[in-house]
Amino acid sequence: MTDDRTSPSPAQALAGIRVLDLSRVLAGPWATQMLGDLGADIIKIEKPGAGDDTRGWGPPWLADGEGRETRESAYFLAANRNKRSVTIDMAKPEGQALIRRLAQTSDVLVENFKVGGLKRYGLDHDSLAALNPRLVYCSITGFGQDGPEAGRAGYDFMIQGMSGLMSVTGSPESEPQKIGVALVDVLTGLHAAIAVLAALQQRQRTGRGQYVDLALFDVAMASLANQALNFLVGGTAPRRLGNAHPNIVPYQAFETADGHLILAVGNDAQFARFCRIADLPEVAGDARFLANAGRVAHREVLIPLVAAALKRQTTGEWLAMLDTAGIPAGPINTIAQAFAEPQALARGLALSLPHVLGGMAPGVRSPLRLSDSPLDAPLAPPTLGQHTDAVLAEVLGLSAEERARLRSAGVL
């Protein structure tokens, strides 16, 4: 395979930083994709012949330039842009040696093996820190490196359940619901990227790398935000409220004459304006509803009154009036409708990236926008092993003959 990656622009924030990515599926790849967006050189190590588990998580599959179905899954494409794929079998001693050499040239390593899983290969933190004391080593696991659950595998769905997140998701009448994307994995990837950046900044002062311990369970618990504090302060476990908010009223989805909308009244002044345009003078003058605390306490009385008013006109009519009045509100879009929103079009959120197999690979634009270190145009996610020869020659100086020998031995 050819290497179509050019050097990142020196203006990019992380230009010159090399990340050795031993992770797969979502949380780790999401973190390294963010670092790659910022200009880091991401070398993704994958098992020969198989690669990242998500390569097989289809359909849907990417089409090549002739419209033929490839075996590049949409799931893999979601988390692996701006990376170079190198196939190395870490179960083989020569493969372990190659990864150790790559780690010696790297600034960051990200992995999401089970606790202790890389020690048998000599690729654990202690082993690699002895070779490269400046290495920032980030481990992502389900439950962290200590505690009674440390040895368990962790998956987004089960962590959503264990953390309490599902207990506050869904309607009161339904069973607990998971979020529609693997959000704990995504949030863990974000936290991992933040921790790596902090460790790199610390290294500027100390000259030493450090170990980063990230757990999906910890991230899920921390991300409960106000719901966690509602419990810790109030002593009562929050309950499922469907689309309603536990601390703000009215702040939920409502039915209109032709569909639904989200009304997100954030303060008392907005509520007063809403009552005027909704023709609810009796509500506006009711002492129970003047302040948010009262609206929360009396939501069972207030919400039916608001719901009845909103059913009188269409979604479009309400959104126009609410926008004019400065009251936060919006539609409930499908994903197709979201990408068609004028704002999404203006911000260029849908990408079309040239792919090595021909044709274009869709993508979603990074939300990171930096004025002095703008992101380069992203590169499509790599095919399996696309950059093996280029990286081993460039970074480790391996000759074509040596690479051919390793390939015939099943190492590459």
Side-chain angles (χ1 to χ4, degrees):
M1 295 282 187
T2 59
D3 184 356
D4 60 357
R5 181 184 177 91
T6 56
S7 297
S9 164
Q12 287 197 277
L14 295 184
I17 296 294
R18 176 172 293 150
V19 178
L20 190 58
D21 185 1
L22 304 186
S23 69
R24 61 265 191 238
V25 187
L26 188 53
W30 198 265
T32 54
Q33 177 171 261
M34 290 195 66
L35 300 173
D37 288 341
L38 290 166
D41 178 19
I42 312 298
I43 299 176
K44 183 179 178 71
I45 305 300
E46 301 189 74
K47 184 177 181 180
D52 190 310
D53 300 21
T54 63
R55 286 187 181 275
W57 288 8
W61 309 102
L62 180 68
D64 66 14
E66 303 298 322
R68 296 169 301 209
E69 188 178 87
T70 71
R71 301 308 285 180
E72 300 293 309
S73 75
Y75 201 117
F76 179 82
L77 297 176
N80 288 285
R81 66 176 173 263
N82 288 329
K83 300 181 184 183
R84 299 199 279 179
S85 173
V86 175
T87 51
I88 298 177
D89 188 350
M90 69 172 61
K92 297 182 182 295
E94 283 187 293
Q96 297 157 20
L98 289 175
I99 296 173
R100 280 193 288 272
R101 290 178 61 187
L102 288 170
Q104 287 179 273
T105 74
S106 297
D107 300 283
V108 178
L109 184 148
V110 178
E111 58 91 5
N112 60 351
F113 286 74
K114 290 177 66 175
V115 172
L118 289 178
K119 188 173 181 63
R120 58 178 170 159
Y121 302 128
L123 300 175
D124 57 297
H125 169 257
D126 290 346
S127 298
L128 295 184
L131 299 174
N132 180 3
R134 290 176 55 82
L135 184 67
V136 174
Y137 191 111
C138 178
S139 292
I140 298 174
T141 58
F143 297 94
Q145 299 296 309
D146 54 23
E149 309 287 345
R152 294 184 62 189
Y155 296 90
D156 179 279
F157 189 9
M158 61 179 281
I159 298 296
Q160 286 196 37
M162 290 184 67
S163 66
L165 185 57
M166 287 177 60
S167 75
V168 294
T169 306
S171 70
E173 298 78 22
S174 72
E175 64 180 7
Q177 295 288 311
K178 69 178 179 66
I179 298 169
V181 296
L183 194 61
V184 173
D185 276 340
V186 171
L187 291 172
T188 302
L190 293 174
H191 281 77
I194 293 167
V196 164
L197 295 175
L200 288 172
Q201 177 64 20
Q202 172 78 353
R203 192 181 72 174
Q204 289 286 96
R205 297 193 295 270
T206 68
R208 300 188 307 276
Q210 60 181 293
Y211 186 67
V212 178
D213 171 13
L214 253 294
L216 272 69
F217 185 69
D218 296 358
V219 169
M221 294 287 292
S223 300
L224 291 172
N226 61 298
Q227 293 284 40
L229 268 294
N230 286 344
F231 166 69
L232 293 173
V233 172
T236 301
R239 57 191 177 90
R240 292 191 302 283
L241 294 173
N243 289 316
H245 195 288
N247 303 107
I248 310 172
V249 174
Y251 196 102
Q252 64 186 73
F254 288 96
E255 186 178 353
T256 65
D258 65 347
H260 294 81
L261 62 74
I262 291 171
L263 178 65
V265 171
N267 58 51
D268 298 337
Q270 289 175 3
F271 183 70
R273 294 200 300 274
F274 169 74
C275 289
R276 285 198 297 271
I277 66 172
D279 192 22
L280 293 172
E282 71 285 358
V283 172
D286 193 318
R288 294 175 296 176
F289 308 140
L290 294 178
N292 180 69
R295 296 194 294 275
V296 171
H298 301 286
R299 74 168 70 224
E300 288 78 7
V301 178
L302 175 60
I303 292 303
L305 300 174
V306 173
L310 287 171
K311 286 182 181 179
R312 293 198 294 261
Q313 291 177 273
T314 67
T315 297
E317 291 168 336
W318 275 118
L319 292 178
M321 289 189 294
L322 292 166
D323 182 60
T324 299
I327 300 167
I332 301 176
N333 285 333
T334 65
I335 292 176
Q337 291 169 330
F339 275 112
E341 280 278 353
Q343 186 67 13
L345 297 173
R347 298 281 281 182
L349 300 188
L351 299 176
S352 187
L353 310 175
H355 196 273
V356 71
L357 296 179
M360 307 298 287
V364 182
R365 181 173 177 170
S366 168
L368 304 177
R369 306 198 183 202
L370 288 72
S371 62
D372 291 343
S373 50
L375 278 59
D376 281 352
L379 297 174
T383 55
L384 180 61
Q386 179 179 339
H387 307 97
T388 300
D389 286 328
V391 168
L392 295 183
E394 166 202 329
V395 179
L396 300 185
L398 268 61
S399 67
E401 292 76 15
E402 180 65 6
R403 298 196 304 272
R405 185 191 68 79
L406 289 169
R407 186 166 280 111
S408 66
V411 177
L412 306 182

